[in-house]
Structure formats: C-alpha cells, structure tokens
Amino acid sequence: MNKMSSTALVTTKEPQKGRHVLRAAWEAIFCFIADTLHAFLCLPDVLSDMRRRSLRPLGAKQVLVIVLANLLVVTAFGGYLLLRLPDAANTFFASSLPLCFFVLVPLCCFAWSCRGDGVFALTVCVLIVLGTVLRVMLAASSQQYNVTAKGLLITNLLSMFGGLLGFVFFCAVLRMRTSNAAALLCLLSVGCYLLLCLFGSSPNGAQAKAWLVFGNADNGISFQLTEAGKLLGAASMALALNDRDRSGLGRVCTSFAILAGHALFLALLGEFGTLLVLILTYLCLLVIFLPSAAELKRSSLLKVIGAVLAAALVVAIFSVACLTASNGSKVAVLKQIRTADSAQATADAGDAVTIDEKIAAACQADKERAKTLNPLVNRFGNEVWKITCRFLAMHSNYKGLSDEQLIALGVNNWQLRKNNMGAATGGWFGKDGQLDSFAMSVAESDYAFSWACRSIGGVGAIVVLLLFLMLLVRGNRRLGAMQDRAEMAVAYSFLHAIVCQAFICMAANLNLLPAVGLPMAFLSEGKANSIICFVMVLFLLYAGRKEGSYQ
C-alpha cells in the first residue's frame, strides 16, 4: 500500500513541476513585455527627468568659449590645408564651417550642459575635423574619389540626428530591469542578423554579407547593419555582467553565451572584424567587472574555463577538417609553391606541368569536391579558407608567384601591399601629389589610417594614436566615479568598442593584423559607422555627467 501511494505521489508531482516551469516562463515573458512597453511609453517622462536632473542652461560666455574653441580647431586645420593643398582648402572651409556650428558646437554644448567631460567632447571634435581633412585631401589627390561640401555636411548632420535617436533609445532601455534590458538588446541583435541572412548583400566586392541595400545596387543606399549588431552586443554583454539578480558565475556564463551567439551569426555572415571588436570589448569588460573571488567558486570557474577550452579545441579541429575537405587541393598547391625557392626548384626540375596549370587543377578539384560535400561543411570550410587567406596575405614571401596566381588561389595581398607602399611614401610629414603608382584603394573607409600615414605623415599618425588614447584615459577617469552600475557598464562597453576598433584598424593597416574590413571611428567615411559612433559618444558624455538638479 505504501509503495503504491509513493508511486502515485511521484507521478502526480512530475506534471505539477512541469506546469510550474511553464507558468514561470509565461510570467517571465509577460514581465519582459510589460517592462519594455512601460520603458518606451514613459519616454517623455525620461526626457523630462533628464532635462530636470542632468541638464543645465548655459550662459552666453560658456557658449562663446565653445564656439571659439571649435573655430580655433577648424582654423588650425584650414591653415594646414592652405599650406599643403590650397585647392582643397576651399572645399574644407565650405563644409567645416557649417559643420562647426551645426554639429561640433551642439556636441560640446551638450557635454557642458550635463557637466560631462569637455576635454573628451573636444577630442571627438578634433577627430571629426581631422576626418574631414583626410577626405578632402583624398578627393584632391585621387580622381576616383569625389567629395562635396554639401555631401560632407549632410552626412554629419544625419549621423548626429541618428546618434541622438540611438542615445534616447538607450536611455529608455536602461529604465528597464537589467536582465530584461539585456534580453531586449539580444532580441534586437538577432533581428539584425536575421535580416542580413535573408536580405544582406556584399557591395563593391566585399567578402562579408553585412549590408542592407535599399534601391539599386549601384546607386542605392547601403547600411552596414553589423555595426548596429556590434553596438547592441557590447551593451548586452555589459548589462549581463552587471545583473545583480544572478550569481557571479551566472553573470560570466550569461555574458559569454551572448558573445558566443554573436560569434555564430557573424561567422555565418563572414564579418570577422566586428567579431574581433566584440571579443576584445568583452575581455576589457571582464577585467573591469569580473566578480569577486567570494562570488566565484574556484572549482566552478575552472569547470567553465575547461568547458570553453574544450569547445575551442572542438571548433579548431572541425575547422581544420572542413578546410581540408573543401579547399584541400589549394592548400596542398600553396604549400608546394609558397616560397620562391620551391617555385624555382619546380621550374629547374623541368616539370611538364606549369604553376598556372597546377593552380587551375587545384581550383577545379575543389569545385568538383564541393558538389558532393555537405553544404554546411562546404560553407564553413570556405569561411575558414577566407580567414586563412587573410593571414597568408600578410606575408611577402611569394616571390615566385604573380599577383594573378595568388588571386586565383584566394590570397589577395595586392591591395594590402599597395596600401602599405603608399603609406610608406608619406615620410614624417606627409606627401602631396596625385596617387599614380601607389593608387591606394578604399582609402576613405577600411584603409583610412594608411591614407593618414601618407597624407599627414608619421607625425600625423602619432597624433591620431594619441587622440584615441586621450579618449580612453579621459573616459576611464570619468566613468569610474559613476553610481549607476548599469549606465557605467554600458558606457564602458561603448568606450572600449570605439578604442578597440580604432586600434584594430591601425594594426590591420600596418600589416600587424590581417585585413578585417573595419571602418575607423570618425576618420572613415561610412553612414552606419558615423551614426553608431555618435550614439556611443553622446551616451558616454551623458553617462560621465555630474548629477545636479536645476530649476
């Protein structure tokens, strides 16, 4: 009798437990929806509270100081252009003077009004003006790139407006519960990546499927949606690391799971530059917000580290297997003729098969093998091969092979070598003249730092490096004294995303890292990059404010 009653009790408890779990899940979803609706429906109250508590009116003297400071920056760069390229100075002044009054001055006024870091805002203004100088100099030196004063002004105004909308969005999101805010940002990130998987394209021969194109492919409007994914990913990882409702180990595991999800989508899209930025940003956040030893059990932490290393080992083995299966013939040929000695030895041996025939046979063999391979294995192997080719392109020991032969194998080091040679001609103080023998490609976006090395020289490149270091130092100094941990975490993620992306671009332009295809903050031309940078800067200035109440 007792056995029958205990068995019946167990069988009745199992359905009840399942119903409790289902009920808890529905309650969590309902609370998430209610919290999201409340945050955005109360947006007018958020703006009113922001104006009352954080913003203060500026006097005429303060506004005059801001205007004079920005005019001094514009005049200094304009005088530099008058000495170097008088023809480009007209375009610069026609675009920078409206830019000063409609973008730079409002940005500094916002920083002073909320008691933010004025030096940080002025440094950003210097970078924006420097980016305008580089684009004007590029238009004067290259016939392939055209820029107008009206176009520069409209681009910066639209970026400022988009940055303001993004800033208001994050102010509303941070009114939500931390876990719900992180979940909302993750859902928006997934939506961005799904849009790219379904409708994304790769304009101008780009390898990554990271753009949404509206209209004609040649004359339409393109937007790099992975930049929005980077912004949402950095903020969601920061919020997950500061969720006080979870344990220390739970916060680390949740944030790492968010990073892994972004890594999966970005790998499918072929956008490895954005993935590298998110990884470095996550490591910086871990250094700042790693839970204390009391919250992290040593045995549990070691298990997590072991699981991560095991997963990385499995991914590495799977990557090598997919690479061998999909591009094994090209790998074998490249091993044979990689160095000049082996190519010369092949020619001296009187081999009846030439190098071109070997490369063509290898490419054809891989194409035939791809028809019988699993589509997932073939896609993953091709992506791994693209990454491998980027690393191989960093080396210059291909003296036995021509550029056409390397491009046939997938190793396109011609663009990188050309940009490096163009940057090397700049010397310490830059070089004028038309880009003839060293016609640098994509110098307005991915290789903006290489163009800076050529146009303003090594001294100018050092100045650019010091400006980004100034952003890092000033930002860390102001954000470390914040009281709101959620705002502080998101602000830290934005700061390190900007600086890490800039350093990655510098390293890739100097051949210290493989080409990643990332625009450089404030210096590169790009609609999505400019908007995301303004979102980050406005939030950083507001987050680093000194609280006060003003009538």
Side-chain angles (χ1 to χ4, degrees):
M1 183 66 182
N2 293 333
K3 291 181 179 180
M4 293 178 61
S5 62
S6 62
T7 304
L9 184 62
V10 170
T11 55
T12 55
K13 282 185 176 180
E14 289 180 354
Q16 290 179 358
K17 183 178 180 181
R19 285 196 293 269
H20 287 315
V21 172
L22 186 61
R23 182 181 299 175
W26 278 111
E27 289 178 355
I29 295 174
F30 178 77
C31 291
F32 169 74
I33 296 175
D35 198 9
T36 304
L37 291 176
H38 179 266
F40 287 96
L41 289 176
C42 295
L43 191 57
D45 297 335
V46 173
L47 297 177
S48 177
D49 184 63
M50 183 191 306
R51 180 186 61 81
R52 180 177 56 85
R53 294 185 56 193
S54 302
L55 300 180
R56 59 172 180 170
L58 294 179
K61 182 179 178 180
Q62 294 171 320
V63 175
L64 182 61
V65 170
I66 292 173
V67 172
L68 290 178
N70 284 282
L71 284 177
L72 181 62
V73 172
V74 171
T75 305
F77 281 105
Y80 174 78
L81 270 181
L82 283 174
L83 294 175
R84 289 284 305 276
L85 292 172
D87 296 336
N90 295 329
T91 306
F92 172 75
F93 281 115
S95 61
S96 59
L97 290 178
L99 175 69
C100 175
F101 288 101
F102 292 109
V103 177
L104 305 183
V105 171
L107 183 65
C108 292
C109 287
F110 176 78
W112 280 37
S113 178
C114 65
R115 290 189 177 184
D117 193 343
V119 177
F120 187 94
L122 190 60
T123 306
V124 172
C125 293
V126 172
L127 285 171
I128 293 173
V129 177
L130 180 57
T132 305
V133 170
L134 292 177
R135 272 171 264 176
V136 169
M137 294 181 72
L138 179 61
S141 303
S142 175
Q143 298 179 355
Q144 300 177 356
Y145 179 72
N146 296 319
V147 67
T148 60
K150 184 178 179 181
L152 287 172
L153 179 61
I154 291 176
T155 300
N156 283 283
L157 285 175
L158 291 178
S159 301
M160 184 74 172
F161 180 71
L164 185 61
L165 292 179
F167 162 69
V168 173
F169 166 78
F170 275 99
C171 289
V173 167
L174 289 179
R175 291 299 183 100
M176 300 170 61
R177 188 177 176 182
T178 305
S179 57
N180 291 337
L184 175 63
L185 296 179
C186 290
L187 288 176
L188 292 176
S189 302
V190 172
C192 292
Y193 294 140
L194 289 179
L195 281 176
L196 288 175
C197 291
L198 295 175
F199 308 106
S201 60
S202 304
N204 300 325
Q207 295 183 354
K209 192 178 177 182
W211 284 265
L212 281 181
V213 179
F214 303 95
N216 191 6
D218 296 328
N219 301 322
I221 300 175
S222 61
F223 188 85
Q224 190 174 358
L225 204 55
T226 51
E227 288 289 314
K230 174 192 70 179
L231 178 77
L232 297 171
S236 58
M237 290 188 301
L239 290 173
L241 274 173
N242 281 270
D243 188 3
R244 290 301 179 181
D245 295 335
R246 290 188 174 93
S247 62
L249 186 61
R251 297 200 296 271
V252 173
C253 292
T254 304
S255 59
F256 183 78
I258 294 173
L259 176 63
H262 281 269
L264 177 62
F265 279 109
L266 291 172
L268 289 175
L269 296 171
E271 183 61 29
F272 297 100
T274 304
L275 176 57
L276 184 58
V277 173
L278 285 178
I279 291 174
L280 291 182
T281 304
Y282 180 69
L283 293 177
C284 294
L285 292 174
L286 273 183
V287 172
I288 299 171
F289 299 108
L290 186 67
S292 61
E295 294 180 282
L296 289 175
K297 294 181 180 179
R298 183 177 180 181
S299 58
S300 302
L301 184 60
L302 290 177
K303 291 179 182 178
V304 172
I305 295 175
V308 171
L309 293 177
L313 181 62
V314 170
V315 171
I317 294 174
F318 181 70
S319 301
V320 173
C322 292
L323 176 63
T324 306
S326 61
N327 295 276
S329 300
K330 288 195 283 289
V331 173
V333 170
L334 194 60
K335 286 181 179 178
Q336 295 176 6
I337 58 177
R338 180 178 176 181
T339 61
D341 294 336
S342 62
Q344 187 66 33
T346 304
D348 293 341
D351 195 351
V353 182
T354 63
I355 295 177
D356 291 330
E357 292 175 348
K358 287 184 177 182
I359 293 174
C363 295
Q364 185 63 31
D366 288 335
K367 286 182 180 179
E368 294 296 330
R369 193 183 300 112
K371 298 178 181 179
T372 59
L373 278 178
N374 184 284
L376 179 62
V377 174
N378 186 43
R379 173 70 182 274
F380 197 83
N382 289 332
E383 295 298 332
V384 175
W385 176 243
K386 289 179 183 178
I387 300 175
T388 306
C389 289
R390 291 185 183 185
F391 280 97
L392 293 175
M394 296 173 61
H395 302 284
S396 59
N397 53 346
Y398 300 104
K399 297 179 181 178
L401 299 177
S402 64
D403 290 334
E404 291 77 10
Q405 291 170 340
L406 288 173
I407 292 174
L409 288 170
V411 183
N412 187 3
N413 66 346
W414 175 73
Q415 183 185 74
L416 179 62
R417 187 177 72 249
K418 182 175 61 174
N419 287 318
N420 286 337
M421 293 172 69
T425 60
W428 281 107
F429 301 102
K431 180 181 179 182
D432 300 331
Q434 292 292 325
L435 292 173
D436 40 21
S437 58
F438 300 118
M440 304 173 68
S441 58
V442 290
E444 73 279 2
S445 56
D446 297 348
Y447 288 93
F449 188 71
S450 293
W451 170 244
C453 292
R454 186 191 189 277
S455 58
I456 58 179
V459 174
I462 294 173
V463 170
V464 172
L465 176 62
L466 293 178
L467 288 173
F468 280 102
L469 287 176
M470 176 71 75
L471 291 182
L472 182 63
V473 172
R474 299 293 301 189
N476 281 321
R477 179 180 299 177
R478 182 59 70 98
L479 297 178
M482 289 182 60
Q483 300 296 326
D484 191 333
R485 287 188 61 86
E487 276 191 8
M488 178 175 64
V490 174
Y492 266 119
S493 68
F494 288 170
L495 175 65
H496 288 94
I498 291 175
V499 178
C500 288
Q501 181 164 335
F503 288 164
I504 290 171
C505 290
M506 293 180 194
N509 283 199
L510 297 177
N511 206 21
L512 300 177
L513 283 177
V516 291
L518 282 175
M520 197 167 180
F522 308 112
L523 299 185
S524 297
E525 182 185 48
K527 305 174 187 67
N529 177 57
S530 300
I531 293 174
I532 298 304
C533 287
F534 271 107
V535 173
M536 293 180 176
V537 166
L538 289 174
F539 190 87
L540 281 167
L541 292 174
Y542 180 72
R545 68 194 180 279
K546 295 180 179 179
E547 290 287 353
S549 180
Y550 306 98
Q551 298 296 329

